[in-house]
Amino acid sequence: DIIKSDPVMQVVATARDGMDAVQKVHAYHPDVVTMDVEMPRMDGLSALEEIMKTHPVPVIMISSLTQTGQDATIRSLSLGAIDFVPKPSGHISLDMNQVKDDIISKIRIAARAKSVISQQVQQSYKKPGLPKLSGWRRLNKSPSRDRLNKMVLIGTSTGGPKALHQVLPNLPADLDAAVLIVQHMPAGFTRSLAERLNHLSAIKVKEAEHGELIQAGCAYIAPGNYHLQVQNQSAAQGFLIKLDQSPPRKGHRPSVDMMFESVAELRGVQIVGVIMTGMGDDGTSGLKRLKEKGSKVLAEDQSTCIVYGMPRAAVEAGVVDRVVPLHHIADEILKML
Protein backbone atom coordinates (compact mmCIF):
# COMPACT_ATOMS: atom_id res chain seq x y z
CA ASP A 1 0.00 0.00 0.00
CA ILE A 2 2.85 2.39 0.85
CA ILE A 3 4.61 1.72 -2.45
CA LYS A 4 1.41 2.01 -4.50
CA SER A 5 0.68 5.36 -2.87
CA ASP A 6 3.59 6.84 -4.83
CA PRO A 7 2.52 7.84 -8.36
CA VAL A 8 5.70 6.64 -10.10
CA MET A 9 5.97 3.24 -8.40
CA GLN A 10 4.22 -0.02 -9.16
CA VAL A 11 4.16 -3.26 -7.19
CA VAL A 12 4.76 -5.93 -9.83
CA ALA A 13 4.58 -8.91 -7.46
CA THR A 14 4.42 -9.95 -3.81
CA ALA A 15 5.99 -13.04 -2.22
CA ARG A 16 4.77 -15.03 0.77
CA ASP A 17 8.25 -16.23 1.87
CA GLY A 18 11.92 -16.25 0.87
CA MET A 19 11.65 -19.15 -1.54
CA ASP A 20 8.72 -17.53 -3.30
CA ALA A 21 10.70 -14.25 -3.42
CA VAL A 22 13.59 -15.87 -5.30
CA GLN A 23 11.17 -17.30 -7.86
CA LYS A 24 9.27 -14.00 -8.27
CA VAL A 25 12.49 -12.02 -8.83
CA HIS A 26 13.39 -14.36 -11.71
CA ALA A 27 9.88 -14.18 -13.15
CA TYR A 28 9.17 -10.43 -12.88
CA HIS A 29 12.63 -8.73 -13.06
CA PRO A 30 11.76 -5.95 -10.56
CA ASP A 31 13.81 -2.76 -10.31
CA VAL A 32 13.88 -3.02 -6.49
CA VAL A 33 12.94 -5.67 -3.91
CA THR A 34 11.83 -4.96 -0.34
CA MET A 35 12.22 -8.01 1.88
CA ASP A 36 11.65 -8.87 5.51
CA VAL A 37 14.64 -10.29 7.37
CA GLU A 38 12.41 -12.84 9.11
CA MET A 39 10.30 -15.09 6.85
CA PRO A 40 9.14 -18.75 6.84
CA ARG A 41 10.63 -21.58 4.72
CA MET A 42 13.60 -19.47 3.53
CA ASP A 43 14.61 -16.47 5.63
CA GLY A 44 15.54 -13.08 4.23
CA LEU A 45 19.31 -13.62 4.40
CA SER A 46 19.16 -16.92 2.52
CA ALA A 47 16.82 -15.43 -0.08
CA LEU A 48 19.05 -12.35 -0.45
CA GLU A 49 22.15 -14.48 -1.00
CA GLU A 50 20.37 -16.57 -3.63
CA ILE A 51 19.02 -13.47 -5.43
CA MET A 52 22.46 -11.85 -5.48
CA LYS A 53 24.07 -14.98 -6.91
CA THR A 54 21.54 -15.56 -9.66
CA HIS A 55 19.74 -12.27 -10.44
CA PRO A 56 21.41 -9.24 -8.77
CA VAL A 57 18.91 -6.50 -7.99
CA PRO A 58 18.79 -3.71 -5.37
CA VAL A 59 17.26 -5.07 -2.16
CA ILE A 60 16.02 -3.09 0.86
CA MET A 61 15.67 -5.13 4.04
CA ILE A 62 12.86 -4.56 6.51
CA SER A 63 14.24 -5.40 9.95
CA SER A 64 13.17 -5.62 13.58
CA LEU A 65 14.99 -3.74 16.35
CA THR A 66 15.85 -6.91 18.28
CA GLN A 67 19.53 -7.83 18.65
CA THR A 68 18.97 -10.81 16.35
CA GLY A 69 17.30 -8.53 13.81
CA GLN A 70 20.15 -6.00 14.01
CA ASP A 71 22.82 -8.67 13.50
CA ALA A 72 20.93 -10.14 10.53
CA THR A 73 20.50 -6.68 9.01
CA ILE A 74 24.23 -5.95 9.14
CA ARG A 75 24.90 -9.37 7.61
CA SER A 76 22.44 -8.55 4.80
CA LEU A 77 24.27 -5.30 4.01
CA SER A 78 27.54 -7.19 3.64
CA LEU A 79 25.79 -9.64 1.31
CA GLY A 80 24.68 -6.87 -1.03
CA ALA A 81 21.49 -5.26 0.33
CA ILE A 82 21.42 -1.54 -0.47
CA ASP A 83 19.85 -0.33 2.77
CA PHE A 84 17.33 -1.22 5.45
CA VAL A 85 14.26 0.19 7.17
CA PRO A 86 13.71 -0.69 10.86
CA LYS A 87 10.15 -1.64 11.78
CA PRO A 88 8.58 0.90 14.14
CA SER A 89 7.45 -1.73 16.65
CA GLY A 90 8.44 -5.38 16.92
CA HIS A 91 8.32 -8.30 14.52
CA ILE A 92 4.78 -7.51 13.32
CA SER A 93 4.42 -3.76 12.93
CA LEU A 94 0.90 -2.64 12.14
CA ASP A 95 2.15 0.96 12.15
CA MET A 96 4.44 0.80 9.10
CA ASN A 97 2.98 4.09 7.89
CA GLN A 98 5.27 5.76 10.43
CA VAL A 99 8.19 4.94 8.12
CA LYS A 100 6.34 5.54 4.84
CA ASP A 101 8.54 8.44 3.71
CA ASP A 102 11.70 6.51 4.59
CA ILE A 103 10.58 3.48 2.57
CA ILE A 104 9.67 5.52 -0.52
CA SER A 105 12.89 7.56 -0.36
CA LYS A 106 15.08 4.48 -0.07
CA ILE A 107 13.31 2.68 -2.91
CA ARG A 108 13.94 5.68 -5.18
CA ILE A 109 17.65 5.68 -4.24
CA ALA A 110 17.90 1.91 -4.73
CA ALA A 111 16.35 2.07 -8.19
CA ARG A 112 19.08 4.47 -9.34
CA ALA A 113 21.76 2.08 -8.05
CA LYS A 114 20.59 -0.94 -10.05
CA SER A 115 23.50 -1.03 -12.51
CA VAL A 116 26.14 -0.46 -9.82
CA ILE A 117 24.83 -3.19 -7.52
CA SER A 118 24.69 -5.66 -10.39
CA GLN A 119 28.34 -5.00 -11.31
CA GLN A 120 29.52 -5.15 -7.68
CA VAL A 121 27.73 -8.37 -6.88
CA GLN A 122 28.89 -10.10 -10.04
CA GLN A 123 32.50 -9.19 -9.22
CA SER A 124 32.20 -10.33 -5.60
CA TYR A 125 30.80 -13.74 -6.56
CA LYS A 126 33.56 -14.29 -9.10
CA LYS A 127 35.93 -14.04 -6.12
CA PRO A 128 33.90 -15.51 -3.23
CA GLY A 129 34.82 -14.88 0.37
CA LEU A 130 36.61 -12.07 2.13
CA PRO A 131 40.28 -11.19 1.64
CA LYS A 132 42.61 -13.80 3.11
CA LEU A 133 44.64 -12.30 5.96
CA SER A 134 48.28 -13.37 5.91
CA GLY A 135 49.79 -14.76 9.12
CA TRP A 136 51.71 -11.60 10.08
CA ARG A 137 48.53 -9.55 9.85
CA ARG A 138 46.80 -11.86 12.30
CA LEU A 139 49.50 -11.91 14.96
CA ASN A 140 48.47 -8.81 16.88
CA LYS A 141 45.03 -7.29 17.36
CA SER A 142 45.94 -5.14 20.36
CA PRO A 143 45.93 -1.39 19.59
CA SER A 144 49.25 0.38 20.12
CA ARG A 145 49.50 2.61 23.21
CA ASP A 146 52.33 4.67 21.71
CA ARG A 147 51.70 8.39 21.26
CA LEU A 148 49.20 8.68 18.39
CA ASN A 149 50.30 10.86 15.47
CA LYS A 150 48.25 9.54 12.53
CA MET A 151 44.48 9.28 11.96
CA VAL A 152 42.29 8.03 9.12
CA LEU A 153 38.82 9.60 9.03
CA ILE A 154 36.05 7.87 7.05
CA GLY A 155 32.62 9.32 6.30
CA THR A 156 29.92 7.35 4.50
CA SER A 157 26.16 6.78 4.30
CA THR A 158 23.97 4.70 1.93
CA GLY A 159 26.00 1.71 0.74
CA GLY A 160 28.59 2.41 3.43
CA PRO A 161 28.41 -0.85 5.43
CA LYS A 162 29.25 -2.93 2.35
CA ALA A 163 31.99 -0.44 1.41
CA LEU A 164 33.49 -0.67 4.91
CA HIS A 165 33.52 -4.46 4.53
CA GLN A 166 35.86 -3.97 1.58
CA VAL A 167 38.12 -1.39 3.23
CA LEU A 168 38.72 -2.31 6.90
CA PRO A 169 39.56 -6.03 6.34
CA ASN A 170 42.32 -4.89 3.96
CA LEU A 171 44.12 -2.75 6.55
CA PRO A 172 47.08 -4.49 8.27
CA ALA A 173 47.16 -5.36 11.98
CA ASP A 174 50.27 -3.20 12.47
CA LEU A 175 48.53 -0.08 11.12
CA ASP A 176 50.23 2.87 12.82
CA ALA A 177 47.13 5.05 12.68
CA ALA A 178 43.73 5.18 14.37
CA VAL A 179 40.60 5.01 12.18
CA LEU A 180 37.51 7.08 13.04
CA ILE A 181 34.29 6.30 11.16
CA VAL A 182 30.96 8.05 10.82
CA GLN A 183 28.38 5.81 9.12
CA HIS A 184 24.87 7.25 8.96
CA MET A 185 22.87 4.54 10.74
CA PRO A 186 20.14 4.36 13.42
CA ALA A 187 20.97 3.70 17.07
CA GLY A 188 21.59 0.04 17.89
CA PHE A 189 22.81 -1.10 14.48
CA THR A 190 26.31 0.42 14.74
CA ARG A 191 27.33 -2.01 17.50
CA SER A 192 26.40 -4.98 15.29
CA LEU A 193 28.30 -3.39 12.40
CA ALA A 194 31.41 -2.89 14.55
CA GLU A 195 31.30 -6.45 15.90
CA ARG A 196 31.00 -7.96 12.44
CA LEU A 197 33.82 -5.83 11.01
CA ASN A 198 35.99 -6.67 14.03
CA HIS A 199 35.48 -10.37 13.32
CA LEU A 200 36.57 -9.91 9.70
CA SER A 201 39.44 -7.44 10.16
CA ALA A 202 43.05 -7.65 11.32
CA ILE A 203 42.77 -4.35 13.19
CA LYS A 204 40.43 -4.00 16.17
CA VAL A 205 37.04 -2.49 15.27
CA LYS A 206 34.63 -1.27 17.95
CA GLU A 207 31.75 1.09 18.62
CA ALA A 208 33.23 4.28 20.06
CA GLU A 209 32.74 5.04 23.76
CA HIS A 210 32.75 8.47 25.38
CA GLY A 211 36.05 9.36 27.03
CA GLU A 212 38.11 6.43 25.74
CA LEU A 213 41.69 6.88 24.58
CA ILE A 214 42.15 6.74 20.80
CA GLN A 215 44.87 4.24 19.86
CA ALA A 216 46.68 3.28 16.68
CA GLY A 217 45.59 -0.03 15.15
CA CYS A 218 41.97 0.45 16.19
CA ALA A 219 38.89 1.63 14.27
CA TYR A 220 36.14 3.48 16.15
CA ILE A 221 32.60 3.67 14.72
CA ALA A 222 30.35 6.51 15.91
CA PRO A 223 27.28 5.09 17.70
CA GLY A 224 23.95 5.78 15.99
CA ASN A 225 22.32 9.00 17.26
CA TYR A 226 25.61 10.37 18.72
CA HIS A 227 28.07 12.84 17.23
CA LEU A 228 31.70 11.70 17.43
CA GLN A 229 34.39 14.31 18.04
CA VAL A 230 37.96 14.24 19.37
CA GLN A 231 39.28 15.95 22.48
CA ASN A 232 42.96 16.86 22.78
CA GLN A 233 44.21 16.15 26.30
CA SER A 234 47.74 16.58 27.65
CA ALA A 235 50.72 15.07 25.82
CA ALA A 236 50.69 12.17 28.26
CA GLN A 237 46.97 11.43 27.87
CA GLY A 238 46.72 11.73 24.09
CA PHE A 239 43.39 12.09 22.27
CA LEU A 240 40.01 11.07 23.67
CA ILE A 241 36.65 10.23 22.06
CA LYS A 242 33.87 12.72 22.75
CA LEU A 243 30.27 11.64 22.14
CA ASP A 244 27.28 13.96 22.48
CA GLN A 245 23.68 14.39 21.36
CA SER A 246 23.84 18.02 20.30
CA PRO A 247 21.38 18.87 17.50
CA PRO A 248 21.71 16.99 14.18
CA ARG A 249 23.79 18.66 11.46
CA LYS A 250 22.15 18.68 8.00
CA GLY A 251 19.71 16.14 9.41
CA HIS A 252 22.46 13.76 10.56
CA ARG A 253 23.55 12.56 13.97
CA PRO A 254 26.31 11.40 13.78
CA SER A 255 27.61 14.06 11.39
CA VAL A 256 30.64 13.47 9.18
CA ASP A 257 31.31 17.23 9.09
CA MET A 258 31.46 17.49 12.89
CA MET A 259 33.98 14.65 13.16
CA PHE A 260 36.17 16.08 10.38
CA GLU A 261 36.05 19.59 11.86
CA SER A 262 36.95 18.47 15.38
CA VAL A 263 40.03 16.59 14.14
CA ALA A 264 41.05 19.57 12.00
CA GLU A 265 41.65 21.44 15.27
CA LEU A 266 44.27 18.94 16.49
CA ARG A 267 47.99 19.60 16.25
CA GLY A 268 50.80 17.18 15.55
CA VAL A 269 48.62 14.61 13.77
CA GLN A 270 48.89 13.45 10.15
CA ILE A 271 45.36 13.09 8.74
CA VAL A 272 43.91 11.16 5.80
CA GLY A 273 40.25 11.99 5.13
CA VAL A 274 38.12 9.48 3.18
CA ILE A 275 34.66 10.18 1.78
CA MET A 276 32.67 7.26 0.39
CA THR A 277 29.23 6.39 -0.99
CA GLY A 278 26.25 8.32 0.37
CA MET A 279 23.45 10.78 -0.36
CA GLY A 280 23.91 14.52 0.11
CA ASP A 281 27.02 16.53 0.95
CA ASP A 282 27.80 15.67 4.58
CA GLY A 283 31.58 15.81 4.97
CA THR A 284 32.44 18.44 2.37
CA SER A 285 32.67 21.43 4.72
CA GLY A 286 34.71 19.34 7.17
CA LEU A 287 37.08 18.30 4.39
CA LYS A 288 37.63 21.97 3.53
CA ARG A 289 38.84 22.50 7.11
CA LEU A 290 41.10 19.45 6.91
CA LYS A 291 42.62 20.62 3.61
CA GLU A 292 43.41 23.99 5.19
CA LYS A 293 45.47 22.05 7.76
CA GLY A 294 47.38 20.16 5.05
CA SER A 295 45.53 16.84 5.26
CA LYS A 296 45.27 14.38 2.37
CA VAL A 297 41.78 13.56 1.06
CA LEU A 298 40.58 10.47 -0.77
CA ALA A 299 37.17 9.99 -2.45
CA GLU A 300 35.43 6.88 -3.76
CA ASP A 301 35.03 6.83 -7.53
CA GLN A 302 31.54 7.09 -9.02
CA SER A 303 31.89 3.69 -10.69
CA THR A 304 31.65 1.85 -7.35
CA CYS A 305 29.38 4.19 -5.35
CA ILE A 306 25.88 2.98 -4.55
CA VAL A 307 25.02 6.69 -4.29
CA TYR A 308 27.46 9.20 -5.78
CA GLY A 309 26.43 12.11 -3.59
CA MET A 310 28.91 12.75 -0.76
CA PRO A 311 32.01 12.01 -2.90
CA ARG A 312 30.63 14.13 -5.77
CA ALA A 313 30.10 17.13 -3.47
CA ALA A 314 33.68 16.85 -2.17
CA VAL A 315 35.16 16.49 -5.67
CA GLU A 316 33.17 19.46 -6.98
CA ALA A 317 34.32 21.55 -4.00
CA GLY A 318 37.93 20.91 -5.04
CA VAL A 319 39.02 19.36 -1.73
CA VAL A 320 39.95 15.86 -2.98
CA ASP A 321 43.53 14.73 -3.77
CA ARG A 322 42.75 11.29 -5.20
CA VAL A 323 39.62 9.56 -6.58
CA VAL A 324 39.80 5.76 -6.67
CA PRO A 325 37.34 2.84 -6.92
CA LEU A 326 36.35 1.08 -3.70
CA HIS A 327 38.72 -1.89 -4.09
CA HIS A 328 41.74 0.47 -4.17
CA ILE A 329 40.82 2.61 -1.15
CA ALA A 330 42.67 0.57 1.52
CA ASP A 331 45.89 0.57 -0.52
CA GLU A 332 45.57 4.30 -1.21
CA ILE A 333 45.08 5.03 2.50
CA LEU A 334 48.34 3.21 3.27
CA LYS A 335 50.17 5.14 0.54
CA MET A 336 48.89 8.46 1.88
CA LEU A 337 49.97 7.56 5.41
Side-chain angles (χ1 to χ4, degrees), residues 144-146 209 211-215 220 236-241:
S144 169
R145 298 193 71 88
D146 294 339
E209 298 176 61
E212 72 177 309
L213 179 70
I214 302 173
Q215 299 177 10
Y220 304 84
Q237 288 179 296
F239 303 108
L240 303 181
I241 294 284

Side-chain angles (χ1 to χ4, degrees), residues 3 41-42 90 100 105 108 111 117 131 157 205 224 239 246 293:
I3 294 168
R41 285 214 297 171
M42 179 187 282
K100 173 182 177 178
S105 170
R108 286 175 178 268
I117 195 72
S157 187
V205 184
F239 303 108
S246 55
K293 301 288 184 175

Side-chain angles (χ1 to χ4, degrees), residues 253-292:
R253 188 170 61 200
S255 158
V256 179
D257 277 329
M258 288 183 68
M259 177 180 71
F260 285 175
E261 289 166 6
S262 77
V263 176
E265 300 303 315
L266 306 180
R267 293 184 178 181
V269 185
Q270 181 185 341
I271 306 297
V272 174
V274 184
I275 195 80
M276 301 198 303
T277 176
M279 178 71 72
D281 64 354
D282 189 19
T284 296
S285 66
L287 288 174
K288 290 177 182 176
R289 296 278 289 278
L290 287 172
K291 285 300 294 178
E292 291 168 2

Side-chain angles (χ1 to χ4, degrees), residues 222-234:
N225 206 30
Y226 282 86
H227 292 304
L228 186 158
Q229 298 179 77
V230 177
Q231 289 181 312
N232 189 3
Q233 300 297 295
S234 67

